């Protein structure tokens, strides 16, 4: 889950189905109350909080948080039931077991860990021993192949058994075309095109000159929940759900009564100078953001925060959070902007009817706890 500094009837190629939730279910109501603020006991260690947990990985049952400490080149495993540091695994940065500069972390269970950096994926065991290295840009894959202008994004996830690395493949710089599944045993690549991702380009700004390329775009989220992979952009009120078993993609579009369902398209998506780039970049201000989905395994519900602006575009503009509740089949149940917190929290997880909002409090890992109750 990361931003990185990562039904009308329609049928996509390769079994991509589309579903629309046009209305919020009016009979389902929830109350949201501020319950507590809790702290993580780190013992004698100092937890890495400098990136705001932006590159951390959460287990889908809300039991553990896996946070990579760039200073110590170590994986911090946080026990979220007991709110304490469970263990810290130190890795070599260079050499045969080297990680390089870690950009993304994914823990699949059974001691299988994927640590990605720029253009390669390192697979490690729980003892920090490297088992394999994959370099998508230079490898020749079985089955499907990447075209010369395509790239496999290394900010992906491992499936439940750690047999497959799943991400999205892109054209240019992080411009997604579809889902890519790489079998780590036989090096077979399966590409699943998703034509609807082309709509995301309306919210993407690019500039290229002789010195290189720059791009600005709403964050793209990809993570695994309940053996499915969720893919979505912060620009639109929608979700793509990929099933690694049959490689089918379901497309869900949602409707909010309280905020816009999409960002406004940019006036330009290609510019010719840095000055023009900075000018168009101002259009990103006062735009809506649809943040990440989190799953409550106990109640079989998904929650998602979003942000929108009141009096957008004026000097009196203010940002507000909105909470949306979905059932396990992504049926929208409820939404509300009447929340006991006003701040926009971009990092959070759900467990046992509660949402835990990450907060750095005096350099300690803390969570503000909201109780979500039906009725």
């Amino acid at each position: 889950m990361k931003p990185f500094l990562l039904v009308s009837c329609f049928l996509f190629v390769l079994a991509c189905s589309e579903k629309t939730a046009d209305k919020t279910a009016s009979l389902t109501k929830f109350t949201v109350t501020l319950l507590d603020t809790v702290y993580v006991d780190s013992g004698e260690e100092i937890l890495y909080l400098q990136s705001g947990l932006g590159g951390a990985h959460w287990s889908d049952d809300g039991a553990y948080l896996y946070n990579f400490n760039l200073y110590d080149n170590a994986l911090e495993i946080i026990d979220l039931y007991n709110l304490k540091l469970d263990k810290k695994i130190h890795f070599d940065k260079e050499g045969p077991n080297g990680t390089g500069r870690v950009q993304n972390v994914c823990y699949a269970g059974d001691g299988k860990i994927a640590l990605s950096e720029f253009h390669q994926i390192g697979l490690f065991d729980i003892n920090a021993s490297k088992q394999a290295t994959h370099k998508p840009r230079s490898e020749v894959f079985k089955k499907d192949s990447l075209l010369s202008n395509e790239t496999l994004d290394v900010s992906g996830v491992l499936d439940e058994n750690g047999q497959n690395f799943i991400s999205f493949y892109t054209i240019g710089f992080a411009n997604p075309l579809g889902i890519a599944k790489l079998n780590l045993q036989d090096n077979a690549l399966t590409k699943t095109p998703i034509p609807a991702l082309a709509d995301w380009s309306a919210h993407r700004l690019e500039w290229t000159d002789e010195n290189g390329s720059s791009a600005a775009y709403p964050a793209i989220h990809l993570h695994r929940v309940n053996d499915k992979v969720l893919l979505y952009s912060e620009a639109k009120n929608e979700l793509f759900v990929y099933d690694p078993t049959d490689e089918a993609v379901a497309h869900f579009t949602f409707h909010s009564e309280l905020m816009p369902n999409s960002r406004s398209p940019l006036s330009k998506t290609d510019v010719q100078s840095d000055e023009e780039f900075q000018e168009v970049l101002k259009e990103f201000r006062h735009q809506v953001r649809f943040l990440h989905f989190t799953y409550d395994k106990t109640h079989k519900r998904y929650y998602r925060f979003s942000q929108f602006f009141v009096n957008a575009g004026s000097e009196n503009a203010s940002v507000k959070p909105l909470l949306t509740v979905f059932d396990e089949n992504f049926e929208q149940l409820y939404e509300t902007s009447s929340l006991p917190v006003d701040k926009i929290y971009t990092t959070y997880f759900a467990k046992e009817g509660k949402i835990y909002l990450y907060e750095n409090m005096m350099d300690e890992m803390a969570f503000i706890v909201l109780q979500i109750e039906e009725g």
Side-chain angles (χ1 to χ4, degrees), residues 19 89 130 162 224 248 272 302 370:
K19 303 177 182 179
I89 304 170
K130 183 180 284 188
R224 179 173 62 85
Q272 305 304 315
Y302 290 89
L370 303 183

Side-chain angles (χ1 to χ4, degrees), residues 157-169:
V157 297
L158 296 172
D159 63 9
E160 185 178 21
N161 299 314
Q163 303 297 309
N164 295 288
F165 182 81
I166 302 165
S167 187
F168 50 91
Y169 66 101

Side-chain angles (χ1 to χ4, degrees), residues 54-74:
H57 168 69
W58 312 78
S59 63
D60 61 12
D61 59 1
Y64 289 96
L65 164 68
Y66 306 97
N67 184 44
F68 201 84
N69 187 319
L70 291 177
Y71 287 157
D72 298 339
N73 210 55

Side-chain angles (χ1 to χ4, degrees), residues 2 55-61 63-68 75-78 86-87 89 91 104-116 122-128 156-165 223-225:
K2 40 204 151 303
H57 168 69
W58 312 78
S59 63
D60 61 12
D61 59 1
Y64 289 96
L65 164 68
Y66 306 97
N67 184 44
F68 201 84
L75 183 64
E76 300 167 347
I77 302 180
I78 310 296
D86 182 62
K87 64 181 67 174
I89 304 170
F91 292 81
N104 183 68
V105 57
C106 182
Y107 187 88
D110 296 327
K112 297 176 180 177
I113 304 166
L115 300 176
S116 305
L123 302 175
F124 296 82
D125 63 20
I126 199 68
N127 298 312
V157 297
L158 296 172
D159 63 9
E160 185 178 21
N161 299 314
Q163 303 297 309
N164 295 288
F165 182 81
H223 58 274
R224 179 173 62 85
V225 181

Side-chain angles (χ1 to χ4, degrees), residues 167-271:
S167 187
F168 50 91
Y169 66 101
T170 70
I171 185 171
F173 182 72
N175 197 9
L177 299 175
I179 296 284
K181 181 176 75 172
L182 175 61
N183 186 292
L184 300 173
Q185 275 63 52
D186 61 11
N187 211 39
L189 179 70
T190 303
K191 297 194 302 187
T192 302
I194 305 177
L197 297 184
D199 292 343
W200 293 1
S201 62
H203 311 284
R204 175 186 179 82
L205 177 63
E206 292 187 353
W207 173 49
T208 301
D209 66 1
E210 66 276 5
N211 297 317
S213 299
S214 298
Y217 52 91
I220 298 169
H221 295 275
L222 182 144
H223 58 274
R224 179 173 62 85
V225 181
N226 292 337
D227 302 327
K228 301 292 192 299
V229 175
L230 312 186
L231 173 65
Y232 46 98
S233 164
E234 290 191 351
K236 299 188 69 177
N237 197 4
E238 66 178 351
L239 169 68
F240 297 90
V241 181
Y242 172 77
D243 188 334
T245 303
D246 59 13
E247 294 158 2
V249 178
H251 181 199
F252 296 86
T253 57
F254 309 110
H255 179 76
S256 173
E257 298 285 350
L258 302 176
M259 63 180 285
N261 288 287
S262 176
R263 291 190 175 196
S264 301
L266 297 173
S267 59
K268 300 177 182 179
T269 56
D270 290 295
V271 295

